[in-house]
Amino acid sequence: MSIEQRLQEEVSQAFNQLFDFKLKPEEVAIQPTRKEFEGSHTFVTFQYLKITKKSPEQSGQAIGEYLRQHSDIVQDFNVVKGFLNLVIADNVWLSSLNDLRKNENYGQLPANGQKVMVEYSSPNTNKPLHLGHLRNNFIGYSVSEILKANGYEVMKVQIVNDRGIHICKSMVAYEKFGDGETPESSNTKGDHLIGKYYVKFDQEYKKEIQALVAAGKDSETAEKTAPILLEAQDTLQKWERRDQKTVDLWKKMNGWVYKGFDDTYHKMGVDFDKYYYESDTYLLGKDIVDQGLSSKVLYRNDDGSVWIDLEEDGLDKKLLLRSDGTSVYMTQDLGTADMRHQDYPFDKCIYVVGNEQDYHFKVLFLILKKLGKDFADGLHHLSYGMVDLPSGKMKSREGTVVDADELIADMLETATAKTKELGKIEGFTTKQATALYEVLGLGALKYFLLKVDPKKRMLFNPSESIEFQGNTGPFIQYTHARIAAILRRAKELNVVEDFNAESISLQSPERELIRLLSEYPLKVREAGENYSPSVIAQYVYDLAKEYNRFYAELSIFGEEDQNIVSFRVALSGAVTQVIKKGMTLLGIIVPERM
RNA sequence: GGCCUCGUAGUUCAAUGGAUAGAAUAGGAGUUUCCUAAACUCUAGAUGCAGGUUCGAUUCCUGCCGAGGCUACCA
């Protein structure tokens, strides 16, 4: 049982004894004590005054007095206004350190028998990945790891948007201007090559529009009738008719893109258990629409189109089948959700998708619920905010995107330069040094994107956002490497990590470190409940920061008392383990030296 | 227009309705015969505006101002 839980029990007993009131232990609100007061746990009395029928101060005093006399773990207390600050005995801290040290699975909750599907990444195949995708992928991967730590069985999937007008645009431009170029012939990553033709399409399209306008057409007509656009639409129709030549080209070009994506995913350190392809799923959902019609959840218009009316729920009417009987995005998503639930009978399914689709998912989930799908309650849209640039939103057509591959390469370069400048790679082989640069560059990038609450929009300034000092990935990695050095030295000196708790009186950074360590499982749970890697990121930073304070203030091997040396080495070992676990949840590797 | 987010130090981010609103960075001042200075210490600096609910509001409610998003028989 954690210290917090024990306190809840004891406060509950105090209420029973002092005020003859049955307060459930889980209803006892304990919060961390602010730095400037003595103690580690604080019980706030205000909300219980109706029960105690005393002033805040008197209530705190009474409960504090009771705990000091009857509690096994409370050594002392003080009351400031209505806040009862509790001081936990050192031996309690020390034994809790020993408990968590011995627990290899510390922070890993037991399996809860529930299955979760996490969908993330899900790119279009007409252009390379960009900064927004990086945030998506890092969040998706990290949330999957966090859910595993919370006892879920996790299936990571993505649905590749491999068909549609966008890829046809690249295809048309490639046929017109490609001249047989391949990734090999031009030494270009496949996804970048396709992206090049997507941009080319847009340039030609704009030229044609201008020409048409110059010839006297109004701009709206020009936009709709530009020959190259008609060609793209024609290509889409040929694709849907399974025209062999079109399908062959489509396969070839998508193949190039997948190779490029795989390369980027590999560099990013993310992976998937299963891929879905929209070319396989875009026709799904019609049978669900039929069911919906017969159960009268949906209705058919005079022109034959099928709709659902969500106005009672404060939303609009939504189209589900066009008048010509073809489906729309929503239809396909209905079908896909149903199919995925059959593939993998999940209890929860998390869609990691940007917040511009908030409305879409609200509608999707509501329709599934109205159609009586029992899995609808387990669906969750993990809606994350856009990554903005100082110039505003990224727009691929305006060339203001930050390319994922380029950014990763930049990070590596910066990490390399920084490391060399600090002269930190003495004794490293070239291979080790390269590996370290990757770990640091990627760590900085991932931490930067994950430390912010996913829900919030965030700003990325290419020239100054990624730092290696302060609240950053490398700061935490550095702390880990420092501790690793301590542990290596301890091994050389044959320091045993077992210590005698009786004779140790804790210094404040030591007590604070153990307190932080004991919070870790709570943070894992909080991160899981909120689908928020940022909870872990902030926590690991706090832990690393506190360790550095400890490191600066107290000597480990300079201490004469060998028992204290053992204790400090043991504490360091526990800190490094938790840092590593936490960073692993974020998908960030921590180095042994740097 | 309607609907949904969001406004916190110069800047980028924190804060289950709790105490004197935390960090980082940029600024100022320091720390290395001592386990890695990518570190540590000190200093200065913020809740858009106006009301309301509450013992207590950055947090909840209303209005205003400002930023962004959604509002396709596109995906």
Side-chain angles (χ1 to χ4, degrees), chain A residues 475-476 478-480 482-483 509 513 541-554 575:
Chain A
F475 170 89
I476 297 162
Y478 172 72
T479 308
H480 182 271
R482 249 185 171 182
I483 302 176
L513 276 175
Y541 171 71
D542 287 339
L543 182 61
K545 178 138 188 76
E546 190 59 36
Y547 187 84
N548 282 323
R549 186 173 297 140
F550 160 80
Y551 186 94
E553 282 181 29
L554 301 168
V575 170

Side-chain angles (χ1 to χ4, degrees), chain A residues 117 119 346 348-353 361 365 375-383 455 529-531:
Chain A
M117 183 178 273
E119 180 207 293
F346 54 75
K348 290 183 185 180
C349 179
I350 315 297
Y351 294 81
V352 183
V353 179
F361 282 102
F365 298 163
F375 61 81
D377 287 330
L379 303 174
H380 178 77
H381 175 206
L382 173 39
S383 160
K455 291 195 282 295
E529 281 167 359
N530 298 307
Y531 307 114

Side-chain angles (χ1 to χ4, degrees), chain A residues 301-328:
Chain A
N301 246 356
D302 296 341
D303 62 3
S305 56
V306 177
W307 297 74
I308 186 166
D309 185 349
L310 299 172
E311 283 173 357
E312 272 181 14
D313 301 275
L315 304 172
D316 298 318
K317 292 191 172 86
K318 187 76 195 171
L319 177 87
L320 292 175
L321 280 184
R322 297 189 184 100
S323 46
D324 64 4
T326 55
S327 54
V328 293

Side-chain angles (χ1 to χ4, degrees), chain A residues 326-568:
Chain A
T326 55
S327 54
V328 293
Y329 185 44
M330 186 63 78
T331 325
Q332 163 190 326
D333 265 11
L334 292 170
T336 305
D338 199 48
M339 179 185 73
R340 292 204 294 207
H341 185 256
Q342 284 167 30
D343 282 359
Y344 183 75
F346 54 75
D347 298 280
K348 290 183 185 180
C349 179
I350 315 297
Y351 294 81
V352 183
V353 179
N355 64 9
E356 74 242 337
Q357 295 203 37
D358 283 356
Y359 185 75
H360 173 79
F361 282 102
K362 221 187 214 173
V363 172
L364 174 67
F365 298 163
L366 186 58
I367 294 177
L368 285 166
K369 199 169 167 62
K370 284 185 181 283
L371 289 171
K373 298 292 175 186
D374 54 356
F375 61 81
D377 287 330
L379 303 174
H380 178 77
H381 175 206
L382 173 39
S383 160
Y384 65 92
M386 298 290 108
V387 184
D388 289 329
L389 301 175
S391 56
K393 201 189 171 186
M394 289 196 289
K395 290 188 180 119
S396 35
R397 291 197 185 145
E398 292 171 22
T400 55
V401 282
V402 176
D403 179 76
D405 292 312
E406 275 175 35
L407 181 56
I408 292 173
D410 283 354
M411 297 303 308
L412 266 176
E413 209 174 288
T414 311
T416 305
K418 188 91 191 166
T419 307
K420 284 183 175 161
E421 179 191 316
L422 291 169
K424 293 261 182 162
I425 46 168
E426 271 178 51
F428 276 61
T429 63
T430 314
K431 207 175 155 188
Q432 287 171 328
T434 310
L436 178 64
Y437 304 147
E438 278 178 23
V439 163
L440 295 180
L442 214 58
L445 182 58
K446 285 190 185 180
Y447 187 85
F448 175 79
L449 290 170
L450 289 174
K451 76 173 173 187
V452 181
D453 183 336
K455 291 195 282 295
K456 298 209 171 152
R457 213 159 95 206
M458 66 183 290
L459 190 111
F460 178 81
N461 185 336
S463 62
E464 54 189 52
S465 276
I466 305 289
E467 305 268 349
F468 287 73
Q469 278 160 4
N471 188 352
T472 66
F475 170 89
I476 297 162
Q477 292 171 317
Y478 172 72
T479 308
H480 182 271
R482 249 185 171 182
I483 302 176
I486 296 278
L487 298 180
R488 282 194 296 273
R489 174 132 182 233
K491 208 168 180 186
E492 277 168 29
L493 298 175
N494 291 318
V495 175
V496 286
E497 290 194 20
D498 288 321
F499 55 89
N500 175 8
E502 301 295 311
S503 62
I504 291 172
S505 137
L506 291 173
Q507 306 291 311
S508 98
E510 296 169 333
R511 193 178 296 113
E512 182 61 16
L513 276 175
I514 301 175
R515 190 188 68 75
L516 280 167
L517 288 172
S518 70
E519 263 187 359
Y520 179 63
L522 297 176
K523 295 293 177 180
V524 171
R525 197 169 62 196
E526 189 186 335
E529 281 167 359
N530 298 307
Y531 307 114
S532 179
S534 69
V535 170
I536 301 294
Q538 297 289 345
Y539 168 80
V540 177
Y541 171 71
D542 287 339
L543 182 61
K545 178 138 188 76
E546 190 59 36
Y547 187 84
N548 282 323
R549 186 173 297 140
F550 160 80
Y551 186 94
E553 282 181 29
L554 301 168
S555 172
I556 295 172
F557 299 110
E559 177 60 43
E560 282 179 26
D561 182 342
Q562 282 308 302
N563 191 42
I564 290 181
V565 174
S566 289
F567 159 65
R568 287 183 184 162

Side-chain angles (χ1 to χ4, degrees), chain A residues 223-272:
Chain A
E223 278 171 25
K224 281 185 181 161
T225 58
I228 197 166
L229 179 70
L230 297 179
E231 255 184 277
Q233 286 168 345
D234 183 51
T235 303
L236 181 58
Q237 282 176 11
K238 281 198 214 155
W239 182 89
E240 290 187 352
R241 287 200 306 267
R242 294 277 171 258
D243 173 72
Q244 196 59 45
K245 219 182 121 199
T246 308
V247 169
D248 286 347
L249 177 65
W250 171 78
K251 277 188 183 159
K252 180 167 81 174
M253 290 177 68
N254 269 341
W256 292 342
V257 172
Y258 297 148
K259 228 173 156 187
F261 283 174
D262 282 349
D263 182 63
T264 307
Y265 288 138
H266 182 72
K267 277 191 290 189
M268 285 163 58
V270 303
D271 55 17
F272 304 89

